[in-house]
Amino acid sequence: MGTFALGEILLLLSYLYIPINVVKESKSIRKFMWFGVAWLIGVIISDTVNETPTVNSIKGMFNVILLLSITPGVFWCIRNNHKAILFYWLGTGASDLISFYFLRSFDSDFEYNVWRVYAYFPVFISIGGYLYYKNHRKAGILLTQSFALWTLFNQSRLIFLTVTLANSILVYSNKLKADKQKSVVCKFRAHSLRLIVLILLSFTVVDGIYEKGANDGYFGESVREKYLMQKNTNMGLASGRHDFFMSAALVFQNPVLGYGSYAEDKNGFREDFLWRHGMDLSVSQDSNMLPGHSYLLGAWVYAGLLGALFFIFVLKIVFKTLKYGNFLYDTRMSAMYLYVTILYVWNILFSPFADRMNFLFIVITLIVLEDYRIKNKKKHDQDFNHRSIV
């Protein structure tokens, strides 16, 4: 049936103590679950039409069924105390380090360095988020940014990008002060154009730092070799996410029904795509599956349009968090929200779906914040006065 986390077993056991109908408290959670049901229906339809092998079909359905099954438990954990997300990510950090040092094996130094970055990510962002929560804001930002810079020397520009964007927004939001007429949230919304310019500027600076440092060998020879290999393809640095573009091409060819769970690459689609774009064919040898290297496009490729609708709904929640400044309803928690929110924008667009618990804890936290915004919209539009939501 695939893999699952020990924490998911605990969430299922929690139904001995909590009411399953806890989801009735939130219309948005119910919508989230209905979109999840649509995804499951998409899996069944796509697997049936494509005559997917039984084992693959069971794994595809089990993934969605388990996600839906633990959703009420996750919602119960944080519905009345969104600050619990700090403790969740501290625990995730401890679990990831145990897994990295005691349960994993690696075939190369490159693989070791990449997985080490992701093992330490929850530790640093949770400690940085906690420092920010305790009003040591500069220390929290400095810690996470130092970690982000370190990741550039260990084959990961993703963490550097997402953490730098988050810290840029934090620095910007810290300069906004509440007054009798306007809250911090209202001022943040009023200057949304400035935020867009800030994000674009931060992205440009990050890209420039990476390209200069990688090209000149400041981040090590292995990073330089990776940079030059990607730079010299027809797609440039975008070749580092070639699976995303493969998935997009597959969606364009079959946008409604998809190809079935864990669909096999029976016609050499991968090699043909890589050859046409001047990339190394060896990168296709480690998989015989059609690519789904994106939460959104992966669900679309394997489960058709109904799978995509689920993650489009999630993206809508994520972008509302940024658009309306929901992360500022408790300014002390805003660092923790931003670090994981921006990372998950990237994951939904460019990463293969994994870690159901991490996904649910951040998305459902954002849903709780959005529910609070809707419930108190008129009140907070008039006068927020910097108060916490708890």
Side-chain angles (χ1 to χ4, degrees), residues 197-312:
V197 172
L198 173 65
I199 291 174
L200 292 175
L201 180 62
S202 299
F203 187 87
T204 302
V205 170
V206 167
D207 182 65
I209 291 174
Y210 171 75
E211 291 215 34
K212 176 65 176 176
N215 187 60
D216 293 348
Y218 296 137
F219 304 136
E221 188 59 30
S222 59
V223 174
R224 183 174 183 272
E225 290 177 0
K226 176 183 176 182
Y227 167 79
L228 292 176
M229 180 185 68
Q230 294 176 351
K231 188 74 173 179
N232 292 328
T233 65
N234 295 342
M235 298 176 65
L237 291 182
S239 64
R241 286 291 178 268
H242 60 268
D243 275 352
F244 171 86
F245 296 100
M246 290 184 188
S247 298
L250 288 168
V251 166
F252 183 78
Q253 293 175 15
N254 186 4
V256 178
L257 295 177
Y259 299 85
S261 299
Y262 303 95
E264 293 184 9
D265 184 5
K266 299 177 181 178
N267 300 313
F269 173 84
R270 279 178 173 271
E271 290 192 358
D272 178 65
F273 184 94
L274 294 173
W275 178 80
R276 285 188 289 108
H277 291 85
M279 286 183 277
D280 185 1
L281 298 182
S282 64
V283 299
S284 70
Q285 293 177 356
D286 59 353
S287 177
N288 64 345
M289 285 174 49
L290 290 178
H293 211 74
S294 159
Y295 287 17
L296 171 61
L297 295 185
W300 207 334
V301 168
Y302 300 138
L305 182 60
L306 291 177
L309 290 176
F310 173 80
F311 287 104
I312 291 173

Side-chain angles (χ1 to χ4, degrees), residues 18 128 168:
I18 67 173
S168 297

Side-chain angles (χ1 to χ4, degrees), residues 89 92 96 117-123 125 147 156-167 169 241 295 315 318 322 335-352 354-355 358-359 362-363 366:
W89 284 100
T92 297
D96 283 358
V117 166
Y118 289 108
Y120 276 98
F121 176 75
V123 176
I125 60 117
F147 167 70
S156 179
R157 57 181 181 262
L158 164 60
I159 301 301
F160 182 66
L161 170 64
T162 55
V163 171
T164 301
L165 287 177
N167 282 334
I169 296 173
R241 286 291 178 268
Y295 287 17
L315 273 177
V318 172
L322 299 174
M336 192 71 247
Y337 295 148
L338 278 173
Y339 293 141
V340 291
T341 299
I342 294 178
L343 176 67
Y344 268 83
V345 172
W346 182 276
N347 285 346
I348 292 169
L349 294 176
F350 301 112
S351 299
D355 295 329
N358 289 353
F359 169 76
I362 180 55
V363 172
L366 301 186

